[in-house]
Amino acid sequence: MKFFAHGSAGAESLAVEAGGTTYDLSPLTGDAHAVTRDFLENGGIARAARAIADGSLPALDTPVDAPTPQNRVEEARCGAPLAPGKILCIGLNYRDHAAETNAEIPPEPIVFMKAPDTVVGPYDDVLIPRDSVKTDWEVELGVVIGSTLRCASSPEEALAAIAGYTISNDVSEREFQIERGGTWDKGKNCETFNPMGPYLVTADEIADVQDLSLTLSVNGQVRQDGTTADQIFGVGEVLAYLSRFMTLYPGDLVNTGTPAGVAMGLPGQPYLRDGDVVELAIEGLGSQRQTFRDAPAPTAPAPASGAASATTEKETGR
């Protein structure tokens, strides 16, 4: 099954695609705008499968509601399919990406976090931060946790806790990340820096998570063309490792790293500029498309009523 959200921002509805038919999921999820921890924790995937089997989920009228490459993006917006709890990310997890950045193969997974409020839909605009000159792209396999995982004893145990998979664009500002001191968080948590979706694809749909192609192009030029087979730490190993240090809960998202081809590692470092179009895809999980836009200047806050009154009195001499 493939879960997705469609509709305007903040007013999305949930749907599920199975067997070539798209179903309205709201009888099970109410007014939820994305898949949530509560849905996953309470057997939502199994309940959706049963509801489809017994005919209790209404089919949507037009297949175009599903976020396929043929979808009319401007007319049928897709939101992120998941409202994540934690977003955990693995750095330098592909051999070729480590090589292009002149980094040594890490002996253990490199872990950083992104805030859930970085998440936007798969076709939404991404904002280039003010004064940024090094905004970069990263196509990544996103892993969605489906059951609580603590101190997993093996990668196999960790894999059994997966609800499904999605696509993340781990957008990064390299100056903020690398040249400003401290941790990577400053370059990873800018507004709109985690487009997600279009689908949350259930784990049973993916035969081998370590054999998926990942691609990304900028303005039609292919920049990344990799495979999850090149991961240094496989998905099960990553989850088991993380579960030693923190509890993974249903709805947590793990971005598992990016292959070679990021702007930072390319000749001339062609970082993103206003108007650039980024398209990315992962085998079996769909595709994304974002236009990058310069972030607007902040709007000055209106003065407080008390301050306004004081100014008026001073100006008028009262």
Side-chain angles (χ1 to χ4, degrees):
M1 291 184 292
K2 299 178 179 180
F3 295 88
F4 67 95
H6 60 105
S8 58
E12 297 92 343
S13 299
L14 274 169
V16 59
E17 184 183 338
T21 302
T22 303
Y23 301 91
D24 178 12
L25 200 60
S26 61
L28 297 183
T29 57
D31 58 0
H33 303 315
V35 170
T36 62
R37 172 178 175 174
D38 181 70
F39 177 79
L40 294 171
E41 207 161 35
N42 289 286
I45 291 177
R47 289 190 291 119
R50 289 195 298 269
I52 291 171
D54 66 23
S56 59
L57 286 185
L60 293 176
D61 291 336
T62 54
V64 77
D65 287 321
T68 63
Q70 293 77 35
N71 197 2
R72 301 165 298 171
V73 174
E74 295 81 3
E75 299 176 30
R77 176 188 173 272
C78 290
L82 173 74
K86 296 188 289 291
I87 301 178
L88 301 162
C89 306
I90 307 300
L92 296 175
N93 196 31
Y94 283 72
R95 293 174 181 84
D96 56 359
H97 177 50
E100 75 174 342
T101 57
N102 298 312
E104 294 189 7
I105 299 296
E108 297 186 29
I110 296 172
V111 181
F112 62 93
M113 300 182 75
K114 300 186 87 160
D117 62 9
T118 60
V119 170
V120 293
Y123 308 121
D124 290 344
D125 288 349
V126 174
L127 300 179
I128 298 172
R130 295 183 69 209
D131 304 320
S132 167
V133 294
K134 295 184 178 181
T135 294
D136 206 344
W137 58 81
E138 293 189 11
V139 58
E140 303 207 6
L141 172 69
V143 179
V144 180
I145 303 300
S147 58
T148 300
L149 190 65
R150 294 183 179 91
C151 296
S153 60
S154 67
E156 291 73 25
E157 179 185 349
L159 289 170
I162 294 173
Y165 303 98
T166 190
I167 305 172
S168 281
N169 187 352
D170 177 23
V171 184
S172 308
E173 212 299 341
R174 302 302 188 188
E175 180 192 1
F176 299 175
Q177 176 188 353
I178 298 169
E179 302 173 31
R180 302 298 296 269
T183 66
W184 290 3
D185 294 345
K186 293 191 292 291
K188 296 288 189 173
N189 281 278
C190 303
E191 187 177 4
T192 72
F193 264 28
N194 202 126
M196 187 212 297
Y199 295 113
L200 191 172
V201 178
T202 53
D204 61 301
E205 297 266 348
I206 302 301
D208 184 356
V209 71
Q210 299 304 153
D211 187 26
L212 300 177
S213 64
L214 308 87
T215 59
L216 182 145
S217 65
V218 181
N219 300 327
Q221 182 176 359
V222 175
R223 293 298 194 181
Q224 292 184 278
D225 186 1
T227 169
T228 56
D230 194 41
Q231 287 184 340
I232 297 166
F233 306 102
V235 170
E237 189 175 358
V238 163
L239 299 186
Y241 179 85
L242 291 172
S243 75
R244 294 175 55 192
F245 304 101
M246 63 195 82
T247 303
L248 303 182
Y249 294 105
D252 285 351
L253 175 69
V254 180
N255 292 337
T256 56
T258 198
V262 299
M264 179 173 62
L266 291 172
Q269 296 186 321
Y271 291 111
L272 293 163
R273 297 290 184 264
D274 183 71
D276 284 346
V277 175
V278 174
E279 297 174 278
L280 51 155
I282 298 180
E283 182 181 355
L285 303 183
S287 61
Q288 297 186 1
R289 182 182 188 274
Q290 296 106 35
T291 301
F292 280 67
R293 304 288 189 191
D294 287 337
T299 303
S305 58
S309 298
T311 300
T312 302
E313 291 175 6
K314 181 177 180 180
E315 291 174 348
T316 59
R318 288 184 289 164

